[in-house]
Amino acid sequence: MPRVSFEHIVKSFGSLTILNDLNLAVDDGDFLVLLGPSGCGKTTLLNLLAGLLEVSDGRIMIGERDVTDLDPKDRGLAMVFQSYALYPTKTVYGNLKFGLAASRLDRQEVEQRIATAAKLLQIEPLLNRKPGQLSGGQRQRVAIGRALVKQADVILFDEPLSNLDAKLRTEMRLEIKKLHDTLKPTIVYVTHDQIEAMTMATRIAVMDGGVIQQFGTPD
Amino acid sequence: MTMITQAATLEDAANALPTQRGPFFPRKKKRIAGRSIAILVFLTICALFFCVPLYVVVVTSFKTMDQIREGAIFSLPHVWTLEAWDHAWNKACSGINCNGLKVGFWNSVLILFPSLILSIALSIVTGYALALWNVRWANAFLFLLFICAFVPFQVIMYPLIRITASIGIYGTLWGIAAVHAVLAMPVLTLIFRNYYKDIPQEIIRAAIIDSGSFWRIFIEIILPMSGNILIVVLILQITSIWNDYLIGVTFGGLGTQPMTVILANLITVSTGVVAYNDNMAAALLTAIPPLVIYFLVGKFFVQGITAGAIKG
């Protein structure tokens, strides 16, 4: 049973077609890396899955639900952005809490999820700081934390490490891999870095020109 | 070794002669060139252009009528008196009402707050929607707003009177506030929309995934990021609402005329003696409130104009 599947996806902006009849299925618990050069349509595909863009044709399934026409908040996804996209006026705690804005959880549950995520990512001492007072790596952790508190089955990553320096990137790579091993969410991860793809993925889809050229395991 | 000693000597030299710091990169002393003298003269003339009339207004307002009759408008008052200020504030006549400017002042205050709240609330939400949400025909709407910003008020004055009369708010504070809100909306919406366009798209995308609620994102994420631009708009609006004459005189009823209208009535009285000192004091009284606002929040105003980027 695939967790996420794209069926005959077409996406065009005006007369420009980015994706044409694309099919892809990700199994439950897989770490799928979408790999490809800039402009190959991988981020577009991710945004379609998140609901930030609308498909021109085709169907997107998450589990057994057809989410093609659902709003982003109703798709049960979490997303980590390239620029971290932290809310600048909220504290780290506020950022994590806003991640649960759409869910109707009671206070205690919210507190507990934030505490768990903060502990897992070692950002507990930072909870009262604003994003402007954090380093790049710390911001990255908060962004991941905001995705984790939702306890979503599917987490999307849009080139999350490209703003970090080389050393931090290696560290965060391991960390994300470790998170995947412990929590076993389904991950769709977009990058153009082949090393990231080879070290983290359980499945790699190589894209070029809006088409999936290769699909397989890193080995 | 030589390097170190050299460095040490340099340091010693610097310590010994603190007044002659930085002799290694000597700079020419700046001299005032002919061109900058010309600029200075020009600027001085410009400044005088504003300052001389202001000086006359201020000194006249403190003089007695007896001294004003002597005709030396630049002379300082022989006796400094607040009589004219008191008279203008408490006793000056607008038409048959002789309660002074203070009536107009309170009317202006009463007009100011609803006008401010209405105009800013209307345009901040419109600007937010246009900048950050997918609104159908957004560009056409923006273009329309842009055109509206250039329509002179006088052109739509009569239709506006009919509209406000038909909904029963003509001649009331709310009529004035509504007209202020409508007229300010095009420009303010464009200001807010351009400011919000600079917010990184990923932040709003993250918020859409996290919450998805138009109002919740606005109140929790966007509004706290709008401090700078709110100050700018606040100052613009306070000044323009306070200084407005035409809307107040057209849409205000007898009891709701703003300070500017009362001021004009005081000064255009055609019977009796022209009380120059009263008139000058009244004019200054009317001009003071926006000035006070400038002094209080002027610092933020400059910050707001120059701060374009919202960096995390």
Side-chain angles (χ1 to χ4, degrees):
Chain A
M1 180 68 215
R3 171 51 65 178
V4 176
S5 53
F6 298 94
E7 297 169 15
H8 306 288
I9 298 296
V10 178
K11 177 65 192 173
S12 43
F13 294 100
S15 61
L16 180 72
T17 304
I18 308 286
L19 303 171
N20 198 1
D21 195 21
L22 181 139
N23 291 287
L24 181 67
V26 191
D27 286 333
D28 206 4
D30 254 356
F31 195 129
L32 171 76
V33 171
L34 294 171
L35 185 67
S38 304
C40 73
K42 55 190 195 304
T43 298
T44 306
L45 191 63
L46 199 71
N47 286 337
L48 288 174
L49 178 56
L52 297 169
L53 294 173
E54 282 178 31
V55 293
S56 307
D57 199 5
R59 198 161 71 135
I60 300 173
M61 305 282 289
I62 296 179
E64 285 175 14
R65 282 199 307 161
D66 182 349
V67 299
T68 318
D69 295 319
L70 287 184
D71 278 342
K73 70 171 175 9
D74 299 322
R75 298 193 178 199
L77 302 164
M79 187 159 176
V80 178
F81 293 87
Q82 182 174 5
S83 65
Y84 321 133
L86 300 179
Y87 309 123
T89 55
K90 285 187 177 291
T91 60
V92 169
Y93 177 84
N95 266 278
L96 296 182
K97 195 173 170 195
F98 199 79
L100 296 168
S103 60
R104 286 155 199 242
L105 297 171
D106 59 51
R107 235 187 112 114
Q108 213 180 354
E109 175 74 11
V110 170
E111 297 288 335
Q112 206 206 323
R113 285 197 186 186
I114 293 173
T116 316
K119 194 172 175 196
L120 200 63
L121 292 161
Q122 296 151 15
I123 50 174
E124 285 160 313
L126 312 176
L127 281 177
N128 289 321
R129 292 209 203 159
K130 295 269 175 76
Q133 301 164 311
L134 302 178
S135 68
Q138 289 169 332
R139 285 180 206 185
Q140 181 63 66
R141 282 163 194 275
V142 176
I144 294 174
R146 199 170 60 188
L148 286 186
V149 287
K150 292 187 193 184
Q151 301 186 352
D153 298 325
V154 184
I155 303 180
L156 314 181
F157 285 87
D158 186 8
E159 306 201 24
L161 305 185
S162 54
N163 284 347
L164 298 177
D165 64 55
K167 180 168 168 283
L168 215 49
R169 200 179 300 177
T170 321
E171 276 175 35
M172 287 309 293
R173 210 151 62 199
L174 290 173
E175 197 128 354
I176 294 175
K177 184 70 186 155
K178 211 168 75 192
L179 281 176
H180 179 248
D181 289 340
T182 33
L183 302 174
K184 284 289 172 201
T186 308
I187 290 181
V188 181
Y189 188 106
V190 163
T191 183
H192 53 246
D193 183 337
Q194 293 184 20
I195 305 168
E196 269 176 37
M198 299 309 275
T199 50
M200 297 166 81
T202 59
R203 287 276 188 289
I204 297 179
V206 181
M207 290 182 71
D208 195 14
V211 180
I212 293 184
Q213 306 283 2
Q214 281 183 351
F215 182 59
T217 60
D219 326 307
Chain B
M1 188 61 207
T2 43
M3 288 284 285
I4 295 168
T5 43
Q6 210 171 9
T9 1
L10 288 182
E11 209 168 83
D12 286 344
N15 287 338
L17 299 165
T19 44
Q20 292 180 4
R21 271 259 164 99
F24 309 106
F25 304 102
R27 291 170 94 181
K28 267 190 192 166
K29 273 206 170 169
K30 278 186 187 157
R31 292 176 61 198
I32 300 175
R35 207 168 37 164
S36 24
I37 291 176
I39 292 174
L40 280 174
V41 168
F42 175 72
L43 289 178
T44 313
I45 291 173
C46 287
L48 286 177
F49 188 77
F50 288 97
C51 290
V52 170
L54 184 65
Y55 166 81
V56 173
V57 171
V58 173
V59 294
T60 308
S61 75
F62 288 107
K63 287 178 190 173
T64 57
M65 273 312 282
D66 290 337
Q67 194 193 343
I68 291 169
R69 281 191 206 98
E70 290 167 12
I73 60 170
F74 291 106
S75 66
L76 285 169
H78 302 318
V79 190
W80 291 79
T81 168
L82 280 170
E83 227 168 79
W85 289 72
D86 175 52
H87 189 263
W89 180 252
N90 286 316
K91 287 178 231 121
C93 295
S94 154
I96 52 165
N97 295 323
C98 290
N99 295 322
L101 257 186
K102 63 175 189 291
V103 183
F105 175 82
W106 291 114
N107 280 343
S108 276
V109 171
L110 287 178
I111 290 169
L112 183 66
F113 284 98
S115 303
L116 264 187
I117 293 167
L118 263 180
S119 59
I120 292 181
L122 196 65
S123 43
I124 196 171
V125 175
T126 319
Y128 157 68
L130 284 174
L132 301 174
W133 291 76
N134 287 323
V135 180
R136 196 177 292 224
W137 307 113
N139 283 331
F141 187 64
L142 267 178
F143 185 68
L144 204 66
L145 278 180
F146 192 62
I147 301 275
C148 288
F150 287 100
V151 176
F153 170 57
Q154 288 83 344
V155 172
I156 53 169
M157 195 159 85
Y158 183 63
L160 271 177
I161 292 175
R162 298 297 306 210
I163 292 169
T164 47
S166 72
I167 54 175
I169 54 172
Y170 178 75
T172 67
L173 288 178
W174 293 104
I176 303 180
V179 172
H180 272 300
V182 168
L183 291 180
M185 193 188 142
V187 173
L188 294 191
T189 303
L190 289 173
I191 291 177
F192 280 120
R193 185 256 178 199
N194 286 349
Y195 183 77
Y196 289 146
K197 263 289 171 213
D198 284 345
I199 292 182
Q201 211 189 6
E202 292 197 334
I203 288 183
I204 184 78
R205 288 185 155 185
I208 287 175
I209 291 178
D210 282 347
S211 157
S213 146
F214 180 87
W215 292 107
R216 185 142 189 206
I217 295 175
F218 176 65
I219 290 164
E220 286 204 36
I221 309 292
I222 300 302
L223 207 51
M225 294 169 79
S226 319
N228 286 332
I229 199 70
L230 271 176
I231 296 275
V232 171
V233 168
L234 215 58
I235 291 188
L236 283 178
Q237 274 304 87
I238 290 176
T239 321
S240 86
I241 293 171
W242 192 274
N243 290 344
D244 157 73
Y245 172 74
L246 194 50
I247 298 177
V249 79
T250 323
F251 291 84
L254 268 183
T256 52
Q257 287 170 330
M259 204 169 183
T260 45
V261 175
I262 308 260
L263 171 69
N265 288 348
L266 298 187
I267 288 173
T268 49
V269 170
S270 51
T271 54
V273 204
V274 182
Y276 288 109
N277 51 356
D278 278 9
N279 293 350
M280 302 296 176
L284 285 173
L285 278 170
T286 312
I288 282 171
L291 277 180
V292 171
I293 301 287
Y294 274 125
F295 283 124
L296 287 181
V297 286
K299 198 178 69 182
F300 303 108
F301 183 69
V302 177
Q303 279 175 6
I305 287 179
T306 50
I310 310 159
K311 280 196 173 162

